Amino acid sequence: MIYILAWHFRNNPDEAAMELALDDFMVNLITKTQTTHYLGVFSPSKTFRNDLYPEYKANRKKQPPPAHIEYWKPRIIKLCVEKYQFFIADNIEADDVLSIMREAEGFDEIIFCSPDKDIRQIPGKHYNYGVKEDHPKVWEEIDIHEAAYRFWLQMLIGDSTDNVKGCKGIGEEKAPKIVRREMTIEEMKEAVRTAYLENKKYKDKEEAEEQMRLQSRLLRLIPPLPLDGVVEQVYGKHVIEVAYNDAELNIDTDESSDNGDRVLQDNQRPHQDDILRSAAGLPEQV
């Protein structure tokens, strides 16, 4: 969300205009998913994965972020936290929080809204707001088997975006020949284990085992937990109810900001199907 909004405002430092665009973004997201509640979460700068592996995401620090990201990122986060009650996770990533909340009590269905591929490890309904509305994967239903397949495949390939290496000598070409969709989940797990333990690029089986455990800790999202203190905190403080009026989304951002209610007033303005439309009256470059 940060990168989409910041890119649209890469030549425009107007914070009031950005706030209108964020309102548009949220209204569009809530309308498309027809949600009754939402939870918005950002990852912190460091998590337990950095403690396990200091090189985790270190490749991102080799060059500074673009100027528009550096300018807008803290401002968008501040807006989301203050206006829409998003929160910043503590020592775990946003993806982990969503995985933990997957079986939270009180909701019939959860829709995971993100273009991030790592989220596709979580079984359930997914909405990708990072693609156009006519894209075949704007909506995806991921079952437990498909979610497991994606995880075990990534255990071999790694994740270059996060600087996670995967299994030595196995890349995107070899991995699908080792882990296949037609396998059972147990067979996938065993195939990955064999790929590590029989890999001559590790000095011995002990190193292979150690690397396999490390990759798993770095790549696997935290699974759903019992409703203990951690989940209660997420569930109780950060799940926001959306109020609808006569089946039309109503958004009053001033009232929402003042009292925390999710009574959002749209004034019946049209919402186009693109990822982000310009707010009325703003210059075309937005």
Side-chain angles (χ1 to χ4, degrees), residues 153-200:
L153 199 64
Q154 202 169 30
M155 276 287 291
L156 296 175
I157 298 171
D159 187 343
S160 58
T161 307
D162 291 344
N163 205 31
V164 179
K165 305 302 182 185
C167 187
K168 284 185 179 181
I170 298 177
E172 293 188 9
E173 257 189 67
K174 289 183 182 178
K177 297 173 184 175
I178 298 169
V179 173
R180 303 183 304 280
R181 273 194 174 89
E182 62 267 24
M183 289 176 163
T184 66
I185 294 175
E186 195 56 41
E187 286 171 340
M188 293 179 200
K189 180 180 178 180
E190 193 54 41
V192 169
R193 182 175 175 79
T194 301
Y196 273 89
L197 295 182
E198 295 184 0
N199 194 325
K200 302 300 183 187

Side-chain angles (χ1 to χ4, degrees), residues 1-10 12 17-29 32 72 76 127-133 269-280 282-286:
M1 184 170 68
I2 292 168
Y3 283 81
I4 290 171
L5 287 166
W7 186 86
H8 279 271
F9 278 74
R10 62 196 180 281
N12 185 350
M18 172 59 85
E19 185 170 355
L20 290 173
L22 175 62
D23 291 342
D24 260 8
F25 193 102
M26 289 297 294
V27 170
N28 188 59
L29 194 60
K32 286 289 191 297
W72 278 120
I76 292 170
Y127 176 68
N128 183 350
Y129 57 73
V131 297
K132 297 290 185 180
E133 286 299 320
R269 61 190 179 190
H271 289 280
Q272 300 172 10
D273 286 336
D274 54 4
I275 296 170
L276 176 69
R277 71 178 182 82
S278 300
L282 292 179
E284 195 60 38
Q285 66 181 20
V286 176

Side-chain angles (χ1 to χ4, degrees), residues 30-61:
I30 290 168
T31 304
K32 286 289 191 297
T33 57
Q34 287 293 292
T35 187
T36 60
H37 299 73
Y38 73 83
L39 179 146
V41 55
F42 294 114
S43 299
S45 56
K46 287 190 175 181
T47 70
F48 73 93
R49 292 179 176 90
N50 298 96
D51 296 331
L52 283 172
Y53 182 55
E55 293 302 304
Y56 184 67
K57 296 188 178 181
N59 52 334
R60 301 186 187 186
K61 298 173 185 175

Side-chain angles (χ1 to χ4, degrees), residues 168 196 199-208 210:
K168 284 185 179 181
Y196 273 89
N199 194 325
K200 302 300 183 187
K201 293 183 181 292
Y202 296 111
K203 65 182 181 184
D204 52 35
K205 288 191 177 182
E206 187 177 332
E207 184 191 9
E210 184 183 334

